[in-house]
């Protein structure tokens, strides 16, 4: 079973609030331990929810999952064979404005996206990252298991 984690499900702002809630919840331990437990469980839940793809080359099945408390949800689907694994390059830009003068700055990043294409034409997005070498290292076990070369379209 090859597990390729796409990333955390909640944005960084929610995870920061969850970490702050856990720390503040610990301060209420002596007065009300149940509040600390409830806040701790909810905060932990927000910190560990993730999404990804599991591929089982032996059974020729895959699933796109969402992981809550390390329990993965998602239905396994079968495939005939994997046609190709490929990487595309894209640009991501973000424009930010100052508070008073409304001057703007644009920040651009190059992002590498990994995809998996099945013989029936269906494509699934495996992962995205700014570092192509790390992406190639993540795709190497999958490439070896299904005996399909990684095509670099960047």
């Amino acid at each position: 079973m090859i597990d390729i984690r796409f990333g955390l499900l909640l944005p960084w702002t929610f995870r920061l609030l969850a970490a702050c809630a856990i720390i503040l919840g610990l301060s209420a331990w002596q007065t009300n331990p149940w509040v600390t437990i409830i806040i701790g469980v909810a905060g932990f839940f927000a910190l560990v929810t993730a999404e990804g793809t599991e591929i089982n080359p032996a059974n020729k099945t895959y699933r796109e999952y969402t992981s809550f408390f390390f329990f993965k949800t998602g239905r396994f689907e079968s495939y005939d064979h994997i046609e190709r694994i490929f990487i595309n390059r894209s640009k991501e830009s973000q424009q930010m404005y100052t508070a008073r003068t409304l001057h703007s700055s644009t920040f651009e990043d190059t992002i590498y996206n990994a995809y998996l294409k099945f013989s029936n034409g269906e494509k699934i997005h495996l992962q995205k990252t700014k570092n192509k070498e790390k992406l190639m290292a993540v795709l190497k076990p999958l490439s070896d298991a299904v005996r399909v070369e990684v095509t670099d379209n960047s």
Side-chain angles (χ1 to χ4, degrees):
M1 181 82 63
I2 299 166
D3 186 8
I4 299 176
R5 242 178 82 159
F6 186 79
L8 297 170
L9 191 61
L10 297 176
W12 70 270
T13 50
F14 287 104
R15 294 192 315 267
L16 178 65
L17 288 173
C20 290
I22 289 171
I23 292 168
L24 290 175
L26 289 174
S27 66
W29 177 255
Q30 289 185 349
T31 57
N32 197 347
W34 289 108
V35 171
T36 302
I37 292 170
I38 292 170
I39 290 174
V41 169
F44 184 72
F45 175 78
L47 290 175
V48 299
T49 56
E51 58 185 342
T53 305
E54 277 186 335
I55 301 162
N56 190 343
N59 296 343
K60 291 193 173 188
T61 58
Y62 77 98
R63 75 170 166 178
E64 294 179 286
Y65 67 83
T66 304
S67 171
F68 301 102
F69 283 117
F70 306 109
F71 294 107
K72 296 175 182 173
T73 62
R75 219 181 82 221
F76 278 99
E77 297 180 30
S78 62
Y79 64 89
D80 188 29
H81 70 276
I82 294 174
E83 192 173 303
R84 57 188 271 201
I85 304 167
F86 60 98
I87 298 173
N88 289 343
R89 183 181 69 199
S90 63
K91 291 234 181 232
E92 204 173 74
S93 65
Q94 181 179 14
Q95 193 167 18
M96 300 180 87
Y97 294 93
T98 59
R100 292 188 180 163
T101 61
L102 292 179
H103 290 293
S104 67
S105 294
T106 303
F107 301 97
E108 288 187 357
D109 285 322
T110 301
I111 305 294
Y112 298 96
N113 295 295
Y115 295 93
L116 182 67
K117 184 177 180 184
F118 295 107
S119 58
N120 63 0
E122 182 182 357
K123 287 186 254 182
I124 57 173
H125 190 196
L126 294 175
Q127 197 173 51
K128 80 175 190 177
T129 185
K130 293 179 184 178
N131 189 335
K132 185 164 57 168
E133 288 76 29
K134 286 183 181 178
L135 186 59
M136 292 294 279
V138 167
L139 296 176
K140 179 89 171 110
L142 174 63
S143 174
D144 292 342
V146 297
R147 295 184 187 103
V148 175
E149 290 293 319
V150 177
T151 306
D152 187 3
N153 296 332
S154 61

